[in-house]
Amino acid sequence: MKQPQNTATLFHRLRIILVETSRPGNIGSVARAMKTMGFGELVLVNPRFDGALEHEEAVAFASGAQDILASARIVGSMAEALEGIHFAAAVSARLREYSPPVLAPRQFAEQAAGGGLHAALIFGNERFGLPNEIVEKCNVLINIPANPDYSSLNLAQAAQVLVYECRMAALAAPAMAATPAEPAEAAAAGIGFQGEAASLTQIDAMYEHLEQALVAIGFLDASNPRKLMPRLKRMFSRTRLETEEVNILRGIARKIMGKDPQ
């Protein structure tokens, strides 16, 4: 049976995640950028100072978006930040050798607006950006196509670019949905049987299980793993894994390890 699709607009399905932010003013500025574009869910992962959401500089830079700060959450891990998320995008100016597929902001926004999934934009520390282990957990990497001779955007500026594109895509989505699709377009859009999308938490557990199975059969050397797991994650990130598909892969991993599926 086809799973019911989330009919909420992207305004209610997009989460902004800031990882180890150093400057309280950037948190306030991101909150302001979010509110001007109609988004409200903000999550901070281990900000590098206490009282991040009440800091006077954060409140001042929010400039009328204090309600975004008041409803924001602070969590201690990416697992908590990504709970319930199906489509996550790491935002980075630095391309990675084994990153997930790279999208421009508009491409991400269109996919997030049209898919009916809970999506997240993840921004790293102002100085260090996002570590590879977080990027590898994401479905896509967003690279803003700025001037190559001077591509420096601060955190709040990058967030403003992304939430603007998401607003434009969210506003366009109802009109696009109201336009009848041609048969070929309908097939490409996934009309027909479609299972429930796997969450990032489920997919991350699948990777751990698969890695254990590959070590058990000697295919992966745990002491010298090289780039096998990042390559596998990159391969799977090009798909939209469904919950049942994740369960199948975990069942295979259990069988490899000599344990019957539960």
Side-chain angles (χ1 to χ4, degrees):
M1 179 181 296
K2 184 177 178 179
Q3 296 291 332
Q5 187 179 34
N6 187 332
T7 57
T9 69
L10 186 59
F11 293 112
H12 300 96
R13 292 187 282 104
L14 182 68
R15 181 180 303 169
I16 306 300
I17 300 174
L18 306 183
V19 181
E20 297 187 0
T21 312
S22 296
R23 299 173 183 172
N26 279 332
I27 295 173
S29 294
V30 169
R32 181 177 181 178
M34 291 170 61
K35 186 166 183 177
T36 60
M37 294 297 124
F39 299 96
E41 187 176 3
L42 176 63
V43 174
L44 311 182
V45 181
N46 294 324
R48 295 194 169 191
F49 53 93
D50 295 331
L53 296 173
E54 298 83 21
H55 194 284
E56 61 180 3
E57 185 177 305
V59 173
F61 277 68
S63 186
Q66 286 86 353
D67 55 323
I68 305 294
L69 297 180
S71 63
R73 295 184 292 124
I74 296 177
V75 299
S77 69
M78 282 305 302
E80 292 177 86
L82 290 171
E83 186 175 352
I85 294 296
H86 305 95
F87 185 42
V91 181
S92 176
R94 180 166 59 92
L95 299 177
R96 322 294 171 101
E97 183 179 4
Y98 296 107
S99 80
V102 179
L103 296 183
R106 191 161 301 174
Q107 292 174 296
F108 165 81
E110 290 171 349
Q111 290 189 25
L117 303 177
H118 288 276
L121 287 166
I122 306 171
F123 298 86
N125 174 266
E126 295 91 334
R127 182 177 177 185
F128 303 107
L130 288 170
N132 288 336
E133 55 267 27
I134 291 180
V135 174
E136 290 169 5
K137 290 179 183 290
C138 295
N139 301 95
V140 296
L141 175 70
I142 295 178
N143 184 256
I144 298 174
N147 177 5
D149 295 327
Y150 188 71
S151 59
S152 177
L153 286 171
N154 71 23
L155 173 58
Q157 289 172 331
Q160 185 72 75
V161 170
L162 267 297
V163 293
Y164 167 79
E165 291 291 353
C166 287
R167 178 176 180 81
M168 294 299 98
L171 293 175
M176 292 175 63
T179 303
E182 296 295 328
E185 294 173 341
I191 295 175
F193 177 79
Q194 189 172 5
E196 179 184 359
S199 69
L200 270 291
T201 302
Q202 292 170 322
I203 293 172
D204 201 42
M206 179 200 76
Y207 287 142
E208 292 182 15
H209 207 164
L210 184 59
E211 183 174 2
Q212 293 169 6
L214 295 175
V215 170
I217 62 174
F219 190 82
L220 173 63
D221 182 354
S223 63
N224 187 26
R226 297 181 182 272
K227 297 293 184 179
L228 177 61
M229 290 310 298
R231 284 182 182 273
L232 288 175
K233 291 178 180 181
R234 183 182 181 186
M235 179 180 72
F236 282 117
S237 69
R238 293 197 294 268
T239 71
R240 292 288 182 88
L241 285 170
E242 298 173 0
T243 299
E244 186 60 28
E245 293 166 341
V246 167
N247 291 338
I248 289 170
L249 289 168
R250 295 195 70 178
I252 293 170
R254 279 192 291 266
K255 199 68 175 178
I256 288 173
M257 298 168 69
K259 299 177 181 178
D260 291 329
Q262 296 178 352

